[in-house]
Amino acid sequence: MPLPDRLAMPTTPVARPESQVSGENYRITVLSDALFRLEYSPDGSFEDRATQMVVNREFEPVEFALHRTKHGIEIVTDTVRLNYDEQPFSPGGLYAHLAGGGGHRRTWRFGERQQVAAGRDANLGGTARTLDEVDGPTDLEDGVLSFLGSAVLDDSSTMTLDADGWIAPRTVGSTDIYLFAHGAAYQQALDDFHRLTGHQPLLPRWAFGNWWSRYHPYTADEYRQLIERFESESIPFSVAVLDMDWHLVDVPPEYGTGWTGYTWNRDLFPDPEALLAWLHERGLKVSLNVHPADGVRAFEEPYARMATAMGVDPDSEQPVDFDIADQKFLVNYFEQVHHPLEDAGVDFWWLDWQQGTHSSIAGLDPLWLLNHFHYLDSARRGQRPITFSRYAGPGSHRYPVGFSGDTVNSWDSLEFQPRFTATASNIGFGWWSHDIGGHMFGYRDNELVTRWFQLGTFSPINRLHSTLSRFMGKEPWKFPAENAAVMVESLQLRHRLLPYLYTMNERAHRTNRSLCRPLYHVDQRAEPALPRGFGSPNTFLFGSRLLVAPITAPADRSTGLGAVASWLPEGEWVDFFTDLRYTGGRTVHLHRPLSGYPVLARAGSVIPLTAPGEYGIGNPDAFEVHVFAGARGSFTLYEDDDAAEPRAVRTPLDWDEDTGVFTISPAEGELGVIPSRRRWSIVLHGVSDARVDGGVATPGAGRLSIDLGEVDPAVGATVTLTDLIRGGGPTVPERLFAILDASQCDYAVKHRTWSVIETAPTPLEMLRRLDGLEVPDPLRAALTEILLSDG
């Protein structure tokens, strides 16, 4: 059975002849100044088909010099000198020197694992297949970035893709690797990686809202009541994920287990089509969990049509075994089993575990093939494709969203998750979805779950989840009022961030910059051991304007503050929530109560949110733009119609610090996809009052709010501020008093400390005098943060 056209992915796998250097048993392709494909074949056959990792080798040719040496050949580009002895690949016969330095630290040799120091790998890591049952850190597969400047991806044993879209195994015994020798030019390495393997696709807008997921045997009525309560309490969601109890799980023992299922449990969901329609009416997309390993068995609703399509007599009740490597099974798996459920209202699938790592084709990982074809098939009705599954190796970024597995409920799990998320960008995997709040095992800790909710707000995908337990639900009302309030605020903020998030979605697609990235992508200044950004692996860049330093440990009991230490890149930074300012180029120690979270914006940042109370997922009617005064800045808002081939609109927003002018420029593009009139307001951080021309100003404590009213997108608007009164908000002594007042410590310590604060003439003098007092270390650290800020 031939593959339908929708399941054939377009590829351009043949490299330009002028980019290749070859001999009887080798071929070297110079794809860029720093990216080389290195092939060795004992029988002289080379691979020109796409693979599960590589979809494009048709790079523009780059200039390089080819020299004959007494040992073989030398290929020289602007940045790399590659030497090869024309023999089977070996460390002594195939090596490369990177520009910018010689010696061992800047030389790559085939087959040698580079290390920064004993036991510390030079590769900066990529990601891992799953976090199932992982409690704390786990080993990561390689990415394309390295502290020593070179990294290798081995493509020798992956499947190939024929022109018709089907798979075929490789020639056994051949070597096919890609050398990324980009030095510290990390973004160039990622650009080359994406040219080679494909760009991150545009996700649907609704994917950036909150996802509700819980392993629980809901009834249809129970689920309606849940969604209605979320609505009544202004807790927004955009995706409803139904775990495996949507289908029959208690099956006759002769059929095996109930993990695999394609038949609605009508005891729980008597009218599933009505429930799906009801959820759609409330703006929710629906995903169903599927474990496909057991194929289609005789008790299933689609069995008769699947058996007939596969040539099995339905009366025999013989199972249709799962065989994703069989074209006929694959096509019928979609057309006979999945498409009818989609036609009834299922929007996308959660591909869960169980199918293992082996298939009927040697070397074929069924997970990758499921991801590949499910993603392509999900676009069959013209919608933007999406699937939801685990990572299956380099190239998996083409099939978002990633499901990281069943997370353990623990602080160790939370501690590792930010690093895991950001590091995945080193292999282009930008859209991880974690079990926010923790999934299973572990322990109940209200503070832990609350901090996880806060991290979820600033995660690629924010999906709450928990295992089959009456004690583990993530409904905010199941927690104490203080925690619940923070959880609700976090979920509301996530939806208000949609204009920023969706713009970053398009940016990731266009510029190969994942939403969450490690600091070393932008800051690599050296200290004695490693660049400073490497020392703060949990801190990450959240899009183009924000930096997040997650709190992943319990609060200090005496101060009640969670704390985190982080390197802060050069420049002036402003706390998104407290408006405290920090000078970068140093390590900062940040302390926050349960209601706070360290999210910093560069001075000059322009960040669009929806207006307060606006939690929809469409292109909004009203905006609240946050502007962080202190430098000039701009932001180009991206919106579209959410189609597979989008009609897009871009709206430039600009803050001129020197003139005090904020401009909403006329929108550019297909204006028909956005409202014809929109309400705009501006929140200017770091300014408490000003004379305003072009809007109605409301002075505040360190923030000036300006209502611009309705604006025609085709015309735009301008507001001019003069006589700005900078600063405002709590003073340094007021902030210090609040920390000291809340601290649970000796009253004598409080009085002595406050005496220093009242009498010292400068923050520096306060620090000097505090150094002579016996102040508990956590309290001293919290006070020092304020004194070292630019308050």
Side-chain angles (χ1 to χ4, degrees):
M1 176 181 288
L3 281 182
D5 290 343
R6 70 176 187 278
L7 298 181
M9 182 175 65
T11 61
T12 48
V14 181
R16 302 285 184 90
E18 59 267 41
S19 300
Q20 300 177 5
V21 177
S22 60
E24 181 179 354
N25 297 105
Y26 71 86
R27 182 170 66 174
I28 297 174
T29 308
V30 184
L31 292 166
S32 78
D33 284 343
L35 176 60
F36 300 83
R37 184 189 190 192
L38 308 171
E39 296 174 273
Y40 186 86
S41 171
D43 64 3
S45 61
F46 302 104
E47 185 57 72
D48 282 326
R49 291 170 293 184
T51 70
Q52 65 187 68
M53 182 176 86
V54 174
V55 297
N56 173 52
R57 301 187 190 97
E58 195 178 40
F59 284 46
E60 288 297 318
V62 296
E63 292 187 6
F64 63 90
L66 175 63
H67 305 297
R68 283 282 168 188
T69 71
K70 63 180 181 179
H71 298 296
I73 61 172
E74 181 180 69
I75 298 173
V76 182
T77 70
D78 287 344
T79 57
V80 179
R81 188 170 75 250
L82 181 76
N83 293 90
Y84 175 45
D85 63 3
E86 301 183 284
Q87 299 300 311
F89 292 169
S90 67
L94 178 60
Y95 54 92
H97 297 296
L98 280 63
H104 175 72
R105 285 177 60 83
R106 302 289 293 178
T107 298
W108 168 83
R109 292 184 179 276
F110 174 79
E112 287 191 352
R113 192 80 185 169
Q114 292 182 315
Q115 291 188 327
V116 178
R120 175 146 192 175
D121 205 284
N123 193 285
L124 293 169
T127 193
R129 188 178 183 107
T130 182
L131 294 179
D132 276 324
E133 300 185 20
V134 173
D135 190 5
T138 191
D139 292 336
L140 302 178
E141 298 176 21
D142 283 352
V144 299
L145 309 184
S146 168
F147 179 63
L148 298 183
S150 57
V152 169
L153 292 182
D154 191 342
D155 202 30
S156 304
S157 58
T158 61
M159 290 291 115
T160 65
L161 289 169
D162 288 330
D164 64 359
W166 190 240
I167 55 171
R170 293 288 201 111
T171 301
V172 178
S174 294
T175 300
D176 186 1
I177 64 173
Y178 291 83
L179 171 63
F180 292 78
H182 295 77
Y186 289 164
Q187 189 54 49
Q188 292 177 30
L190 290 167
D191 287 343
D192 277 351
F193 171 78
H194 284 92
R195 272 192 289 270
L196 183 72
T197 62
H199 294 279
Q200 294 186 40
L202 281 170
L203 284 176
R205 187 180 180 91
W206 48 260
F208 296 100
N210 301 313
W211 296 26
W212 178 258
S213 177
R214 185 183 178 193
Y215 184 12
H216 175 77
Y218 286 107
T219 66
D221 288 343
E222 186 181 6
Y223 209 82
R224 286 189 177 93
Q225 292 167 10
L226 173 74
I227 299 303
E228 287 172 344
R229 180 160 183 185
F230 283 141
E231 291 174 345
S232 69
E233 300 195 16
S234 298
I235 303 175
F237 285 92
S238 63
V239 176
V241 182
L242 297 180
D243 213 314
M244 62 177 291
D245 286 290
W246 72 268
H247 64 73
L248 297 174
V249 296
D250 294 322
V251 304
E254 62 265 28
Y255 297 119
T257 71
W259 284 96
T260 299
Y262 301 101
T263 305
W264 282 97
N265 183 338
R266 294 184 183 267
D267 289 336
L268 300 178
F269 303 98
D271 189 348
E273 292 83 0
L275 176 65
L276 297 175
W278 186 88
L279 291 168
H280 288 154
E281 288 169 4
R282 278 150 182 78
L284 290 161
K285 299 294 183 180
V286 182
S287 179
L288 299 186
N289 174 280
V290 60
H291 297 81
D294 288 334
V296 184
R297 292 162 291 174
F299 67 87
E300 297 278 19
E301 184 276 330
Y303 173 74
R305 60 177 181 267
M306 183 65 171
T308 300
M310 291 298 295
V312 175
D313 180 3
D315 292 335
S316 72
E317 295 196 349
Q318 290 298 307
V320 179
D321 292 332
F322 174 80
D323 187 0
I324 199 69
D326 176 1
Q327 278 195 53
K328 186 176 181 181
F329 175 87
L330 175 76
V331 173
N332 286 310
Y333 167 79
F334 289 124
E335 295 182 354
Q336 307 302 329
V337 180
H338 285 263
H339 291 178
L341 290 163
E342 293 166 10
D343 293 340
V346 176
D347 295 292
F348 68 109
W349 295 92
W350 172 12
L351 302 176
D352 214 337
W353 208 240
Q354 308 297 324
Q355 75 276 353
T357 58
H358 303 286
S359 67
S360 58
I361 297 179
L364 171 62
D365 180 358
L367 174 62
W368 170 74
L369 203 60
L370 277 166
N371 292 352
H372 176 76
F373 285 120
H374 258 282
Y375 181 80
L376 295 174
D377 187 70
S378 70
R380 70 184 176 93
R381 293 180 292 191
Q383 71 268 35
R384 193 170 291 174
I386 187 172
T387 194
F388 180 35
S389 183
R390 285 169 172 81
Y391 177 78
S396 291
H397 63 277
R398 298 191 301 265
Y399 318 116
V401 168
F403 166 51
S404 65
D406 296 337
T407 308
V408 174
N409 295 286
S410 73
W411 285 101
D412 287 340
S413 289
L414 178 60
E415 162 68 18
F416 181 61
Q417 205 164 89
R419 174 193 161 199
F420 179 81
T421 306
T423 306
S425 66
N426 295 345
I427 198 69
F429 201 74
W431 301 118
W432 269 125
S433 169
H434 303 302
D435 288 352
I436 296 300
H439 174 70
M440 62 184 184
F441 305 147
Y443 39 80
R444 170 70 177 253
D445 186 319
N446 296 332
E447 181 189 4
L448 166 65
V449 179
T450 306
R451 290 301 189 193
W452 224 322
F453 267 66
Q454 292 169 319
L455 178 62
T457 300
F458 299 97
S459 293
I461 302 295
N462 189 28
R463 178 180 53 85
L464 308 183
H465 191 57
S466 50
T467 193
L468 185 60
S469 167
R470 67 180 62 199
F471 300 110
M472 289 190 182
K474 299 302 186 304
E475 297 89 340
W477 52 82
K478 292 186 175 180
F479 294 83
E482 179 188 16
N483 303 84
V486 176
M487 292 172 175
V488 172
E489 289 170 2
S490 298
L491 295 170
Q492 291 173 341
L493 177 58
R494 174 68 182 199
H495 272 239
R496 293 191 61 208
L497 280 165
L498 251 67
Y500 179 78
L501 290 164
Y502 198 66
T503 300
M504 293 303 110
N505 176 37
E506 191 273 339
R507 174 180 181 256
H509 171 68
R510 178 172 46 85
T511 72
N512 309 316
R513 289 168 171 82
S514 295
L515 174 67
C516 298
R517 298 187 294 153
L519 291 185
Y520 51 76
H521 280 210
V522 297
D523 189 337
Q524 299 168 29
R525 286 168 299 156
E527 61 180 5
L530 293 172
R532 294 187 186 271
F534 295 83
S536 301
N538 267 17
T539 301
F540 58 89
L541 305 167
F542 188 69
S544 60
R545 301 295 188 269
L546 296 175
L547 177 150
V548 180
I551 294 175
T552 57
D556 174 70
R557 185 178 180 279
S558 62
T559 64
L561 301 175
V564 59
S566 174
W567 174 252
L568 194 59
E570 198 74 41
E572 184 180 5
W573 296 84
V574 187
D575 188 282
F576 189 90
F577 300 106
T578 69
D579 293 332
L580 264 176
R581 291 178 176 255
Y582 305 85
T583 298
R586 64 185 177 101
T587 296
V588 292
H589 295 261
L590 307 173
H591 304 77
R592 299 293 184 271
L594 187 67
S595 59
Y597 208 63
V599 179
L600 308 182
R602 281 191 181 275
S605 290
V606 176
I607 300 175
L609 276 65
T610 62
E614 294 275 336
Y615 305 131
I617 60 172
N619 295 325
D621 294 313
F623 289 96
E624 182 182 84
V625 181
H626 288 250
V627 178
F628 295 83
R632 180 168 185 165
S634 62
F635 188 92
T636 300
L637 174 69
Y638 175 86
E639 300 170 282
D640 62 28
D641 58 357
D642 225 9
E645 298 294 333
R647 297 186 301 137
V649 180
R650 287 178 168 83
T651 306
L653 309 173
D654 183 79
W655 165 248
D656 190 324
E657 177 77 13
D658 296 329
T659 63
V661 175
F662 181 82
T663 304
I664 304 170
S665 294
E668 305 163 351
E670 301 284 345
L671 300 191
V673 307
I674 60 175
S676 59
R677 304 286 293 181
R678 316 178 91 167
R679 192 170 188 89
W680 292 79
S681 66
I682 303 166
V683 177
L684 192 61
H685 296 246
V687 174
S688 57
D689 203 358
R691 188 188 306 274
V692 175
D693 181 15
V696 178
T698 302
R703 297 184 180 187
L704 180 65
S705 298
I706 306 167
D707 185 355
L708 277 64
E710 285 193 345
V711 175
D712 183 341
V715 177
T718 298
V719 59
T720 302
L721 288 76
T722 55
D723 302 330
L724 278 69
I725 299 176
R726 303 279 181 170
T731 64
V732 167
E734 288 171 342
R735 293 181 189 270
L736 294 172
F737 180 84
I739 293 172
L740 193 58
D741 184 44
S743 181
Q744 300 182 65
C745 66
D746 191 281
Y747 283 111
V749 171
K750 291 192 178 195
H751 284 289
R752 287 194 296 269
T753 304
W754 183 244
S755 177
V756 166
I757 293 170
E758 282 191 306
T759 59
T762 65
L764 184 61
E765 180 62 18
M766 286 186 205
L767 284 172
R768 189 184 68 79
R769 295 183 187 181
L770 285 174
D771 191 50
L773 298 181
E774 293 184 2
V775 179
D777 288 342
L779 176 58
R780 184 190 305 277
L783 298 173
T784 299
E785 176 196 345
I786 305 300
L787 293 172
L788 292 179
S789 72
D790 299 330

